Amino acid sequence: MTTTAPPPKDLRDFYENPAVPVASGTPRSRRQARMLAEALGAAGDGRPRTIIDIGCGDGTAAATAAPYLTGHRVVGVDWSQDALRRARTRIPYAVRGELTDGGLPLRTGAADAVLFSEVIEHLVDPDAALDEIRRVLRPGGHLMLSTPNLAAWYNRALLLAGVQPVFSEVSLRGIHGRPGREVVGHLRLYTARALREFVAASGFEVVRLAGAPFHGVPRPLRPLDRLACARPPLASILLLHARRT
């Protein structure tokens, strides 16, 4: 199947388009929030933790996570003005910032935790992004990163059949050679092993790797997709918890 869309002028123009999906699915957001809540503990010690949601998009994921993070302070950060306008209708704090071009508008060690949900696959320079995240995290601070899994169970079968894997893209203008209808701008994809090694090499200690389902899986296959979460290397979405060393 091939779909076409008006060509973007550049990546920034592409991501400012409100038609480009910015939410990755409620199940992933909930699982990730539960992992973070478990890591942070209750906010009953008198010091609410500061959680930065980098690439918050329209705020849907942060709003979904908020009930699991009661007492903590969640701040959304995005460079898209359109996304921030929508985010401010869902979360109390949303500010403009970038991982490049001067870095995030945060002092060194200001954050207790960073949510980095389905962002890394869109980046030209993920190394610099993790450097900046490490800067704003306090020592021992938590990184909760999620990204699509190149080696998801169905992608292994698709590759054997000579079909382009789901989540991978060869164009910003249309879908070519793989299932799906949405162009979302993925530049990089990770397997579970590659993600672990990359994060560890960037100055973090990997604590846990979990899996989450993908809302785009056809309905008849969703039970299989949920079962695959028990083995993260086969899951649709990789959820990684790491701590700043």
Side-chain angles (χ1 to χ4, degrees):
M1 176 184 292
T2 300
T3 62
T4 58
K9 297 175 184 176
D10 54 30
L11 279 174
R12 287 179 178 269
D13 182 58
F14 175 82
Y15 290 122
E16 284 285 7
N17 181 356
V20 174
V22 293
S24 58
T26 300
R28 190 277 303 160
S29 298
R30 287 176 176 164
R31 289 186 184 216
Q32 192 172 31
R34 285 195 294 265
M35 287 173 65
L36 180 55
E38 181 181 342
L40 290 175
D45 60 0
R47 190 180 77 84
R49 272 56 169 184
T50 298
I51 302 161
I52 310 299
D53 183 3
I54 298 176
C56 68
D58 66 0
T60 298
T64 300
Y68 299 91
L69 302 169
T70 302
H72 299 305
R73 180 170 53 247
V74 180
V75 180
V77 179
D78 207 291
W79 66 266
S80 168
Q81 295 287 13
D82 178 73
L84 287 172
R85 280 193 292 271
R86 289 179 281 163
R88 289 174 183 135
T89 67
R90 295 183 172 96
I91 55 178
Y93 309 104
V95 298
R96 192 177 190 281
E98 302 188 44
L99 286 163
T100 57
D101 297 331
L104 297 168
L106 300 164
R107 71 180 187 276
T108 298
D112 296 287
V114 163
L115 284 169
F116 200 43
S117 308
E118 267 87 316
V119 175
I120 199 167
E121 64 270 16
H122 298 274
L123 301 180
V124 174
D125 190 353
D127 302 271
L130 285 195
D131 286 346
E132 179 63 1
I133 289 173
R134 191 172 185 277
R135 180 188 70 80
V136 301
L137 274 174
R138 63 168 177 80
H142 303 275
L143 168 63
M144 292 289 175
L145 184 156
S146 65
T147 191
N149 183 9
L150 175 61
W153 61 277
Y154 41 82
N155 278 345
R156 299 181 187 219
L158 289 172
L159 276 171
L160 284 174
V163 178
Q164 187 83 10
V166 175
F167 307 125
S168 67
E169 296 185 328
V170 299
S171 170
L172 292 179
R173 301 181 183 182
I175 298 298
H176 305 286
R178 71 156 172 85
R181 298 182 179 182
E182 294 179 332
V183 179
V184 293
H186 290 173
L187 304 180
R188 300 181 182 276
L189 289 175
Y190 299 80
T191 63
R193 179 176 177 176
L195 186 64
R196 280 181 175 272
E197 291 184 3
F198 172 59
V199 171
S202 300
F204 294 86
E205 176 190 0
V206 176
V207 177
R208 180 185 174 192
L209 184 71
F214 174 48
H215 68 282
V217 169
R219 188 173 297 276
L221 297 177
R222 289 179 186 176
L224 285 176
D225 197 40
R226 289 191 293 270
L227 284 174
C229 294
R231 294 194 62 191
L234 297 176
S236 285
I237 305 296
L238 299 171
L239 304 178
L240 183 137
H241 171 205
R243 299 191 70 176
R244 182 197 185 282
T245 57

